[in-house]
Amino acid sequence: EDQVTQSPEALRLQEGESSSLNCSYTVSGLRGLFWYRQDPGKGPEFLFTLYSAGEEKEKERLKATLTKKESFLHITAPKPEDSATYLCAVRRGGADGLTFGKGTHLIIQP
Amino acid sequence: NAGVMQNPRHLVRRRGQEARLRCSPMKGHSHVYWYRQLPEEGLKFMVYLQKENIIDESGMPKERFSAEFPKEGPSILRIQQVVRGDSAAYFCASSLNVGTSGLGTDTQYFGPGTRLTVL
């Protein structure tokens, strides 16, 4: 059974304090690892897709990386507007639906 | 370019009633997915549909739940005889493609969700 574990469950940072969120996964035949951001009361907002180990993608203050067992979402010099729950999901070969982790609730204090 | 649209945004039903949730995919997308998010739980896949076809319903409860995506109109998730345990946020997502991994066309874009409350 596919498993996605995100850590930490919650993280509180000061504005400008860089950190990383972890997503560990167990999946047979990874076809893609996805990062989303979810604000309270809203739907997940797509951030990145990573397909193979060694791949990296960047967008503004966020950078996602992928190894064979885990992915990291690095956040550099975060701002209060980066506060949200960050979700990691995987898709395996032969499946259509995504398997999600429970998310990391990130709070950036001014 | 409008994103994925869902309605209603909030739905209140009494036990035993039927709930109908609607989803219109992004323009040009013909693949629709439904997910459920229970309080304090992660998003759980329910069903994947293409126009007029259910492709994968492995995450759908065996009873009371059904889904369709007709040739014309939105996709509908129907829950019959709702119970309190059905209270959750239901999200719809759509993608341009499914099989072309590596090009980003299989990325699923989510709607704002329908929050179902069963009294």
Side-chain angles (χ1 to χ4, degrees), chain B residues 88-106:
Chain B
Y90 291 83
F91 292 96
C92 168
S94 72
S95 69
L96 181 64
N97 208 332
V98 288
T100 317
S101 179
L103 299 181
T105 55
D106 58 342

Side-chain angles (χ1 to χ4, degrees), chain A residues 31 36 38 41-44 46 49 51 87 91 96-98 100, chain B residues 33 35 37 45 48 91 98 101-102 104 106-108 110-111 115:
Chain A
R31 278 179 59 191
Y36 290 86
Q38 187 173 25
K42 297 190 177 181
F46 171 71
T49 307
Y51 290 103
L87 302 172
R91 183 175 184 181
D96 305 297
L98 301 179
F100 278 86
Chain B
Y33 314 79
Y35 292 80
Q37 189 171 41
F45 167 73
Y48 159 51
F91 292 96
V98 288
S101 179
D106 58 342
T107 297
Q108 297 180 21
F110 283 78
R115 278 143 188 88

Side-chain angles (χ1 to χ4, degrees), chain A residues 14-53:
Chain A
Q14 293 295 317
E15 184 174 1
E17 182 184 359
S18 301
S19 188
S20 296
L21 312 182
N22 177 262
C23 171
S24 298
Y25 63 90
T26 303
V27 62
S28 174
L30 181 72
R31 278 179 59 191
L33 185 140
F34 303 82
W35 282 98
Y36 290 86
R37 166 194 172 128
Q38 187 173 25
D39 292 294
K42 297 190 177 181
E45 175 188 343
F46 171 71
L47 294 174
F48 302 109
T49 307
L50 301 167
Y51 290 103
S52 56

Side-chain angles (χ1 to χ4, degrees), chain A residues 25-83:
Chain A
Y25 63 90
T26 303
V27 62
S28 174
L30 181 72
R31 278 179 59 191
L33 185 140
F34 303 82
W35 282 98
Y36 290 86
R37 166 194 172 128
Q38 187 173 25
D39 292 294
K42 297 190 177 181
E45 175 188 343
F46 171 71
L47 294 174
F48 302 109
T49 307
L50 301 167
Y51 290 103
S52 56
E55 191 174 358
E56 298 182 353
K57 288 191 177 173
E58 281 188 75
K59 178 182 177 182
E60 296 182 351
R61 295 178 293 282
L62 298 175
K63 178 181 178 180
T65 62
L66 180 65
T67 72
K68 288 187 178 180
K69 293 184 178 180
E70 58 191 350
S71 176
F72 291 93
L73 185 66
H74 307 278
I75 181 163
T76 303
K79 299 181 179 181
E81 54 262 41
D82 295 322
S83 298

Side-chain angles (χ1 to χ4, degrees), chain B residues 54-90:
Chain B
I54 297 174
I55 307 301
D56 179 356
E57 55 183 348
S58 59
M60 193 87 103
K62 293 289 184 279
E63 299 179 351
R64 301 186 298 106
F65 285 73
S66 63
E68 63 178 18
F69 190 13
K71 186 176 180 180
E72 301 291 337
S75 175
I76 295 175
L77 180 67
R78 183 182 292 110
I79 311 173
Q80 297 178 304
Q81 299 176 334
V82 296
V83 301
R84 289 214 174 111
D86 296 333
S87 295
Y90 291 83

